[in-house]
Amino acid sequence: ERAVLAKQKTPKIAVLGLAYKENTHSTKNSPSLALLAHLEGQDVAVYDPVVSSDIVPFARGLSTSLEAAAAADVVLLVTPWPEFREISSPDLAEAMAGKTVIDPYGLLDGDAVAAAGLDHYTLGVPARLIEGA
């Protein structure tokens, strides 16, 4: 909230991962869907390698993680899919309009994310903020 909503009233939000956990198509008890329930009415793009975006009728479903991240102010990696570990931090930074990445599972390399000019938030690790931000 402090990193995005306090700075931008109507942010573009990208949510990567809809499944309950990686390597499944199940969405029962999905933390992603619980989060998305609070984002209805926002500009939201979603991507999951297995689960159809039709499950979130108010969001735009995209074909790849970088397409979902295009022009986003914040990207949230909510399901720890192995393919998300392969996201290039420079490509992510280039695709995004903003610079906030919320990565609770630590899927991305924090040093690489910071080097790409992005703010990286993950569980159990102090935020990596860009100098002067």
Side-chain angles (χ1 to χ4, degrees):
E1 186 174 332
R2 183 183 71 231
V4 179
L5 298 179
K7 297 176 184 177
Q8 180 126 3
K9 189 171 187 162
T10 56
K12 293 183 179 181
I13 302 165
V15 176
L16 305 183
L18 299 172
Y20 165 67
K21 63 181 182 176
E22 71 275 15
N23 302 316
T24 184
H25 66 279
S26 176
T27 57
K28 184 177 180 182
N29 299 319
S30 168
S32 183
L33 295 184
L35 167 70
L36 284 160
H38 296 284
L39 298 177
E40 189 165 359
Q42 300 292 324
D43 184 355
V44 179
V46 297
Y47 168 71
D48 188 283
V50 176
V51 177
S52 170
S53 62
D54 294 343
I55 198 165
V56 189
F58 64 87
R60 289 175 287 115
L62 284 298
S63 300
T64 70
S65 54
L66 287 179
E67 285 179 11
D73 296 298
V74 58
V75 171
L76 298 99
L77 292 99
V78 187
T79 306
W81 284 102
E83 78 175 62
F84 295 162
R85 293 182 187 280
E86 305 303 319
I87 296 172
S88 160
S89 295
D91 290 347
L92 184 60
E94 185 176 325
M96 293 177 66
K99 61 180 189 172
T100 302
V101 177
I102 300 175
D103 176 17
Y105 297 100
L107 300 172
L108 303 179
D109 177 272
D111 292 332
V113 173
L118 299 171
D119 298 336
H120 188 229
Y121 296 88
T122 189
L123 291 176
V125 177
R128 297 171 183 265
L129 298 175
I130 304 305
E131 191 67 34

